[in-house]
Amino acid sequence: QVRLVESGGGLVQPGGSLRLSCAASGSIFSINDMSWYRQAPGKQRELVATITSGGTTNLADSVKGRFTISRDNAKNTVYLQMNSLKPEDTAVYYCNAGVTYSSGTTYSKWGQGTQVTVSS
């Protein structure tokens, strides 16, 4: 069984920072792209950031200049550093990864989500 587990969410004031982590575990052959999504109350889930296996990154316009995505391939972990947080960043943040099992089959896997709340 392959699992993605997010951590690092919490309550912060506007302008504050958080660092989210997502660790993949299980019988993994390889991991391709890793991404962070978020879903705010009453809104659809949106893509926040993506990083490829080679380290190429893409960020949503709404978070450019404030967020960075990185990964540690040896640890099968992806990070999202969030700075200058705004109330509109409040959402449940989900990790997603393209995981190839030892059998050769590839699946899109999701973590359980971690809550980020930005409020005074």
Side-chain angles (χ1 to χ4, degrees):
Q1 181 185 28
V2 174
R3 298 178 65 226
L4 302 180
V5 179
E6 302 99 334
S7 61
L11 173 64
V12 296
Q13 295 184 349
S17 298
L18 284 173
R19 187 185 189 226
L20 306 184
S21 299
C22 172
S25 62
S27 299
I28 301 169
F29 180 77
S30 64
I31 300 177
N32 196 12
D33 294 356
M34 302 186 80
S35 299
W36 287 97
Y37 291 75
R38 68 186 182 186
Q39 188 165 22
K43 295 186 177 181
Q44 294 186 351
R45 189 170 299 185
E46 65 172 330
L47 177 63
V48 176
T50 297
I51 184 167
T52 70
S53 60
T56 301
T57 63
N58 283 283
L59 297 169
D61 288 342
S62 60
V63 304
K64 285 181 179 177
R66 300 188 298 121
F67 292 10
T68 57
I69 185 171
S70 61
R71 66 191 287 168
D72 185 336
N73 291 331
K75 297 181 179 179
N76 289 331
T77 299
V78 62
Y79 306 94
L80 185 67
Q81 178 66 48
M82 305 185 294
N83 300 323
S84 302
L85 284 162
K86 304 174 181 179
E88 50 262 45
D89 294 318
T90 295
V92 177
Y93 284 71
Y94 297 91
C95 177
N96 175 266
V99 179
T100 300
Y101 287 67
S102 298
S103 64
T105 304
T106 301
Y107 298 92
S108 179
K109 303 295 290 186
W110 291 90
Q112 82 288 349
T114 185
Q115 177 71 48
V116 172
T117 302
V118 185
S119 176
S120 298

